[in-house]
């Protein structure tokens, strides 16, 4: 039976740290940090994320600024918005909600954010600082996962860590952060051969692929720490019956509601083998916003 790594509870603790720090700034006569979120178009998932971010800002006392732009926004209009936020002295963090509608080029846009305000940690300067193991703004999800693993006392030094997924927002920075903590790290991806054998070597397994229930219980080394970053909506009953064989509640929800959220790991199967595991939902999801507000506070304090 695995220990549950409660991301929701840890995110609450991180948000409380942010709230008291903001309160202390205000008591000292300083202004509250400010996070600007730019949302282009009407992607429903992105709208939910932005709503949750605004709610977390309110909870911690961080000032929130939203810029909603239409789906048809041109690259030059979006850049003008970003340049204006770069110049604004009272804006500390700028987050451009991804994915951007086509044909906008996310990489080109992110490169124009002032690196000191790049709270998503995606600007090449911040990526370079992470690469060098220096202080900078780091991608929120892996940064908050590391924060939680440390809080739970997970030993990383000398351990074998396998990261499934090589995205710039999760997989690659996660691998660099585990390396920084002296783990021996392997990054796997869609072209990796024999994923099950590789996973079985992992003392720490991080799944960030967006593949519902791909990781089976039999792939997990007994006692391993399993971090499931994947967030997937399953609607097909056939798939659900396969991946939720040991997760009857998920299967019930799928049958009753027509869809259910799950991670990349078959939770019910993994729970029996792993030493510790994050659930989905309630695991990594809530940590990301907490990480974002931590970064906003860090950016504000660094800007002075
Ligand atoms: P992405 O699509 O950018 O990258 C997916 C990665 O997984 C790629 O590197 C790909 O090579 C790898 N991959 C895909 N299929 C694979 C397979 N069959 N075997 C091995 N590797 C495979 O995704 P992302 O943005 O990194 O997100 C990954 C997942 O994490 C998604 O489900 C996303 O919703 C979720 N996510 C969650 C949070 C959170 O807050 N919990 C934050 C970011 C992303």
């Amino acid at each position: 039976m695995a220990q549950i790594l409660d991301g929701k509870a840890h995110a609450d603790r991180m948000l409380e740290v942010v709230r008291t720090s903001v309160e202390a700034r205000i008591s000292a006569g300083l202004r509250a940090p400010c996070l600007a979120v730019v949302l282009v178009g009407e992607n429903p998932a992105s709208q939910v994320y932005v709503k949750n971010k605004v709610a977390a800002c309110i909870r911690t006392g961080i000032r929130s600024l939203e810029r909603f732009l239409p789906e048809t926004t041109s690259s030059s209009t979006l850049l003008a918005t970003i340049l204006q936020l770069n110049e604004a002295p009272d804006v500390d963090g700028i987050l451009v909600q991804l994915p951007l509608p086509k044909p906008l080029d996310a990489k080109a846009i992110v490169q124009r954010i002032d690196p000191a305000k790049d709270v998503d940690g995606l600007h090449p300067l911040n990526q370079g600082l992470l690469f060098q193991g220096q202080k900078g703004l780091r991608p929120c999800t892996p940064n908050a996962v590391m924060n939680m693993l440390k809080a739970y006392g997970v030993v990383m030094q000398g351990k074998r860590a396998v990261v499934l997924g090589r995205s710039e927002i999760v997989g690659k920075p996660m691998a660099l952060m585990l390396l920084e903590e002296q783990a021996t790290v392997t990054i796997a991806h869609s072209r990796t051969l024999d994923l099950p054998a590789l996973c079985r070597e992992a003392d720490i397994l991080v799944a960030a692929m967006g593949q519902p229930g791909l990781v089976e219980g039999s792939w997990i080394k007994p006692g391993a720490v399993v971090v499931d970053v994947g967030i997937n909506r399953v609607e097909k009953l056939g798939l659900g019956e396969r991946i939720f064989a040991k997760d009857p509640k998920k299967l019930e929800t799928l049958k009753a509601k027509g869809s259910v959220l799950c991670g990349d790991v078959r939770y019910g199967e993994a729970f029996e083998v792993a030493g510790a595991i994050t659930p989905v939902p309630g695991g990594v999801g809530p940590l990301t916003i907490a990480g974002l507000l931590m970064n906003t506070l860090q950016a504000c304090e660094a800007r002075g």
Side-chain angles (χ1 to χ4, degrees):
M1 292 282 221
Q3 175 190 15
I4 294 172
L5 301 174
D6 188 340
K8 169 82 177 67
H10 188 72
D12 285 343
R13 287 191 285 275
M14 287 174 72
L15 289 173
E16 188 53 22
V17 170
V18 175
R19 194 192 65 74
T20 49
S21 305
V22 172
E23 203 173 64
R25 279 184 64 83
I26 292 165
S27 305
L30 300 167
R31 63 175 178 79
C34 172
L35 170 66
V37 178
V38 181
L39 176 60
V40 186
E42 295 186 355
N43 178 326
S46 295
Q47 286 173 330
V48 173
Y49 289 143
V50 171
K51 212 177 99 196
N52 291 343
K53 280 166 194 164
V54 173
C57 281
I58 292 169
R59 183 172 158 188
T60 53
I62 287 183
R63 204 159 68 79
S64 154
L65 202 70
E66 297 93 51
R67 292 275 185 273
F68 297 113
L69 302 173
E71 186 92 19
T72 51
T73 299
S74 66
S75 182
S76 56
T77 304
L78 177 54
L79 280 177
T81 304
I82 287 167
L83 296 182
Q84 186 234 329
L85 294 170
N86 281 347
E87 296 297 318
D90 57 347
V91 170
D92 302 293
I94 303 170
L95 181 137
V96 177
Q97 186 66 49
L98 302 178
L100 287 171
K102 283 181 185 148
L104 294 170
D105 177 355
K107 262 206 166 110
I109 300 290
V110 167
Q111 288 192 10
R112 302 299 294 275
I113 296 175
D114 177 350
K117 299 187 178 189
D118 165 41
V119 282
D120 242 351
L122 290 175
H123 188 283
L125 183 87
N126 284 315
Q127 291 179 326
L129 289 172
L130 171 60
F131 187 85
Q132 293 188 348
Q134 293 194 54
K135 200 166 154 45
L137 290 166
R138 297 181 167 195
C140 309
T141 305
N143 207 23
V145 166
M146 293 304 283
N147 189 301
M148 181 180 71
L149 292 181
K150 286 178 191 168
Y152 271 98
V154 172
V155 177
M156 291 174 250
Q157 181 168 328
K159 301 290 180 187
R160 283 294 310 267
V162 173
V163 179
L164 306 174
R166 57 179 162 186
S167 71
E168 286 188 26
I169 189 95
V170 189
K172 282 186 197 169
M174 186 80 237
L176 286 170
M177 289 178 205
L178 286 162
L179 186 63
E180 194 176 32
E181 293 302 321
Q182 320 276 11
T184 302
V185 186
T186 305
I187 305 179
H189 48 78
S190 51
R191 305 293 167 91
T192 298
L193 302 179
D194 202 354
L195 214 53
L198 191 65
C199 291
R200 281 186 202 110
E201 292 178 8
D203 302 304
I204 300 167
L205 181 66
V206 181
M209 299 173 289
Q211 299 290 333
L214 183 73
V215 179
E216 302 177 19
S218 64
W219 298 15
I220 290 167
K221 181 175 176 177
V225 173
V226 179
V227 177
D228 193 352
V229 182
I231 302 178
N232 312 291
R233 183 168 292 284
V234 171
E235 291 172 345
K236 290 190 178 130
L237 188 58
L239 174 64
E241 280 171 340
R242 205 153 34 84
I243 65 175
F244 302 138
K246 292 222 167 156
D247 223 336
K249 276 195 187 149
K250 287 254 192 256
L251 193 56
E252 266 172 42
T253 309
L254 172 59
K255 283 179 179 164
K257 299 195 168 160
S259 77
V260 68
L261 280 187
C262 74
D264 289 351
V265 178
R266 298 186 189 183
Y267 183 80
E269 295 178 22
F271 186 75
E272 293 177 354
V273 194
I277 187 166
T278 58
V280 178
V284 177
L287 289 173
T288 299
I289 287 183
L292 173 68
L293 298 201
M294 278 273 189
N295 276 358
T296 306
L297 176 66
Q298 182 187 324
C300 175
E301 287 176 346
R303 293 178 66 244

